[in-house]
Amino acid sequence: MVKAKGKPVKTRRSMLLATAVLLSVAAIILLFMGLRAGGWAAKKENMQLLTLVNADNPVPDDRQQEYTILDEGWMLDERCAAELQQLLSACREAGFDPEISEALVTRGLQEERFEARVQELVAQGLDEESARAEAARTVQPAGYSEHELGLAVDLRDADEDDDAMVAWLEENAWRFGFILRYPDGKSGVTGVGYVPWHYRYVGREAAQQIWELGLTLEEYIELFYPEQ
Ligand SMILES: [Zn+2]
């Protein structure tokens, strides 16, 4: 009887041990899955900030974003509003007088601007088709403007000392997560000539890498996110 009793006790112990081991393994797996999910969420967030918009890549329709209205009345994606203010403050501390001359542009407004340019060219004697092609050289058609993302701003110096401020921004904007989107000499890649006032928010990590490696957004995405 005593001998026979010993066996179930031992069995119960090994069952308890096995259960404990299983629970630990399950906890580790859950923790790992949680970390992976967190990593994916962060990556998805990063990818949204890196959304590529150019002549071949229209603004995606399924974007989800929240906007912030800045003191100046401009609207921007809330994910870059605070850092834009920091960039503007730093720029003021450096002795400039930066102001925003463009931020979020709605699809409708972009369409109006593009159509207005087309009509101007038609009035100058171009036929409709040529006018559209010509207009697209200076105004992005609706759906193809980075300003529709709410992640781009145009900055100018209210004192009109643009050259010095342009140089300062080129050197420092990356510290706040912004990049000069259309650098000099890169129109072969971006499809757009040098635009010294147009800055695009991509987040600090990407902005730093883009600055250090001297890349455009197109080149950065191809290098770091080739599967996109
Ligand atoms: Zn712009």
Side-chain angles (χ1 to χ4, degrees), residues 102-103 140 145-147 152-154 182 195 197-199:
E102 190 83 280
Q140 276 118 353
S145 166
E146 224 182 23
H147 283 284
V153 280
D154 291 347
Y182 307 113
V195 183
W197 56 83
H198 180 101
Y199 278 82

Side-chain angles (χ1 to χ4, degrees), residues 100-120:
I100 300 167
S101 56
E102 190 83 280
L104 174 77
V105 175
T106 61
R107 176 76 47 100
L109 180 57
Q110 190 64 27
E111 196 160 356
E112 273 174 37
R113 286 179 181 176
F114 185 75
E115 290 306 319
R117 180 70 187 133
V118 170
Q119 291 318 311
E120 244 176 59

Side-chain angles (χ1 to χ4, degrees), residues 204-217:
R204 289 195 187 207
E205 191 188 332
Q208 183 170 0
Q209 287 172 318
I210 286 170
W211 163 253
E212 284 173 353
L213 299 171
L215 301 172
T216 59
L217 185 55

